[in-house]
mmCIF file of all heavy atoms in Angstrom:
data_model
loop_
_atom_site.group_PDB
_atom_site.id
_atom_site.type_symbol
_atom_site.label_atom_id
_atom_site.label_comp_id
_atom_site.label_asym_id
_atom_site.label_seq_id
_atom_site.Cartn_x
_atom_site.Cartn_y
_atom_site.Cartn_z
ATOM 1 N N ALA F 133 5.531 127.726 -201.834
ATOM 2 C CA ALA F 133 5.794 126.300 -201.900
ATOM 3 C C ALA F 133 4.583 125.515 -202.507
ATOM 4 O O ALA F 133 4.760 124.419 -203.151
ATOM 5 C CB ALA F 133 5.975 125.754 -200.420
ATOM 6 N N SER F 134 3.396 126.008 -202.472
ATOM 7 C CA SER F 134 2.180 125.289 -202.864
ATOM 8 C C SER F 134 2.096 125.290 -204.489
ATOM 9 O O SER F 134 1.252 124.503 -205.064
ATOM 10 C CB SER F 134 0.871 125.888 -202.310
ATOM 11 O OG SER F 134 0.715 127.254 -202.734
ATOM 12 N N TYR F 135 2.801 126.244 -205.101
ATOM 13 C CA TYR F 135 2.784 126.323 -206.587
ATOM 14 C C TYR F 135 4.055 126.463 -207.286
ATOM 15 O O TYR F 135 4.094 126.701 -208.500
ATOM 16 C CB TYR F 135 1.786 127.530 -206.915
ATOM 17 C CG TYR F 135 2.257 128.929 -206.385
ATOM 18 C CD1 TYR F 135 3.231 129.612 -207.102
ATOM 19 C CD2 TYR F 135 1.599 129.330 -205.270
ATOM 20 C CE1 TYR F 135 3.581 130.869 -206.552
ATOM 21 C CE2 TYR F 135 1.993 130.627 -204.834
ATOM 22 C CZ TYR F 135 3.044 131.305 -205.395
ATOM 23 O OH TYR F 135 3.379 132.582 -205.045
ATOM 24 N N HIS F 136 5.182 126.366 -206.585
ATOM 25 C CA HIS F 136 6.397 126.597 -207.222
ATOM 26 C C HIS F 136 6.850 125.690 -208.324
ATOM 27 O O HIS F 136 7.357 126.184 -209.341
ATOM 28 C CB HIS F 136 7.611 126.542 -206.092
ATOM 29 C CG HIS F 136 8.931 126.854 -206.694
ATOM 30 N ND1 HIS F 136 9.883 125.950 -206.981
ATOM 31 C CD2 HIS F 136 9.476 128.034 -207.155
ATOM 32 C CE1 HIS F 136 10.920 126.445 -207.612
ATOM 33 N NE2 HIS F 136 10.667 127.777 -207.683
ATOM 34 N N ALA F 137 6.417 124.396 -208.306
ATOM 35 C CA ALA F 137 6.784 123.554 -209.424
ATOM 36 C C ALA F 137 6.120 124.117 -210.813
ATOM 37 O O ALA F 137 6.710 124.109 -211.780
ATOM 38 C CB ALA F 137 6.348 122.109 -209.043
ATOM 39 N N GLN F 138 4.905 124.550 -210.667
ATOM 40 C CA GLN F 138 4.139 124.954 -211.844
ATOM 41 C C GLN F 138 4.665 126.229 -212.304
ATOM 42 O O GLN F 138 4.791 126.570 -213.468
ATOM 43 C CB GLN F 138 2.587 125.030 -211.557
ATOM 44 C CG GLN F 138 1.940 123.780 -211.199
ATOM 45 C CD GLN F 138 2.047 123.305 -209.787
ATOM 46 O OE1 GLN F 138 2.728 123.898 -208.957
ATOM 47 N NE2 GLN F 138 1.360 122.190 -209.412
ATOM 48 N N LEU F 139 5.074 127.179 -211.422
ATOM 49 C CA LEU F 139 5.615 128.511 -211.710
ATOM 50 C C LEU F 139 6.945 128.265 -212.395
ATOM 51 O O LEU F 139 7.211 128.894 -213.366
ATOM 52 C CB LEU F 139 5.908 129.312 -210.417
ATOM 53 C CG LEU F 139 6.398 130.689 -210.471
ATOM 54 C CD1 LEU F 139 5.584 131.450 -211.509
ATOM 55 C CD2 LEU F 139 6.554 131.293 -209.151
ATOM 56 N N ALA F 140 7.818 127.448 -211.788
ATOM 57 C CA ALA F 140 9.066 127.155 -212.510
ATOM 58 C C ALA F 140 8.995 126.566 -213.956
ATOM 59 O O ALA F 140 9.673 127.080 -214.824
ATOM 60 C CB ALA F 140 9.869 126.182 -211.636
ATOM 61 N N TYR F 141 7.929 125.813 -214.147
ATOM 62 C CA TYR F 141 7.701 125.223 -215.509
ATOM 63 C C TYR F 141 7.357 126.425 -216.401
ATOM 64 O O TYR F 141 7.843 126.361 -217.644
ATOM 65 C CB TYR F 141 6.549 124.226 -215.423
ATOM 66 C CG TYR F 141 6.210 123.627 -216.787
ATOM 67 C CD1 TYR F 141 7.039 122.599 -217.423
ATOM 68 C CD2 TYR F 141 5.007 124.108 -217.420
ATOM 69 C CE1 TYR F 141 6.693 122.208 -218.629
ATOM 70 C CE2 TYR F 141 4.786 123.610 -218.706
ATOM 71 C CZ TYR F 141 5.498 122.660 -219.280
ATOM 72 O OH TYR F 141 5.216 122.194 -220.503
ATOM 73 N N CYS F 142 6.555 127.376 -216.009
ATOM 74 C CA CYS F 142 6.137 128.438 -216.907
ATOM 75 C C CYS F 142 7.385 129.329 -217.125
ATOM 76 O O CYS F 142 7.485 129.677 -218.271
ATOM 77 C CB CYS F 142 5.078 129.253 -216.209
ATOM 78 S SG CYS F 142 3.362 128.552 -216.055
ATOM 79 N N ILE F 143 8.217 129.515 -216.177
ATOM 80 C CA ILE F 143 9.481 130.366 -216.377
ATOM 81 C C ILE F 143 10.356 129.734 -217.438
ATOM 82 O O ILE F 143 10.825 130.344 -218.355
ATOM 83 C CB ILE F 143 10.098 130.623 -215.114
ATOM 84 C CG1 ILE F 143 9.364 131.416 -214.050
ATOM 85 C CG2 ILE F 143 11.433 131.321 -215.310
ATOM 86 C CD1 ILE F 143 9.206 132.935 -214.307
ATOM 87 N N VAL F 144 10.549 128.435 -217.284
ATOM 88 C CA VAL F 144 11.383 127.762 -218.147
ATOM 89 C C VAL F 144 10.828 127.706 -219.635
ATOM 90 O O VAL F 144 11.638 127.825 -220.588
ATOM 91 C CB VAL F 144 11.617 126.318 -217.670
ATOM 92 C CG1 VAL F 144 12.303 125.466 -218.832
ATOM 93 C CG2 VAL F 144 12.400 126.293 -216.395
ATOM 94 N N GLN F 145 9.478 127.572 -219.705
ATOM 95 C CA GLN F 145 8.783 127.592 -221.000
ATOM 96 C C GLN F 145 9.137 128.939 -221.716
ATOM 97 O O GLN F 145 9.420 128.956 -222.877
ATOM 98 C CB GLN F 145 7.320 127.512 -220.877
ATOM 99 C CG GLN F 145 6.889 126.040 -220.478
ATOM 100 C CD GLN F 145 6.967 125.167 -221.714
ATOM 101 O OE1 GLN F 145 6.529 125.442 -222.761
ATOM 102 N NE2 GLN F 145 7.715 124.084 -221.520
#
Side-chain angles (χ1 to χ4, degrees):
S134 64
Y135 58 80
H136 180 257
Q138 294 84 354
L139 177 59
Y141 177 77
C142 291
I143 296 285
V144 171
Q145 287 288 305

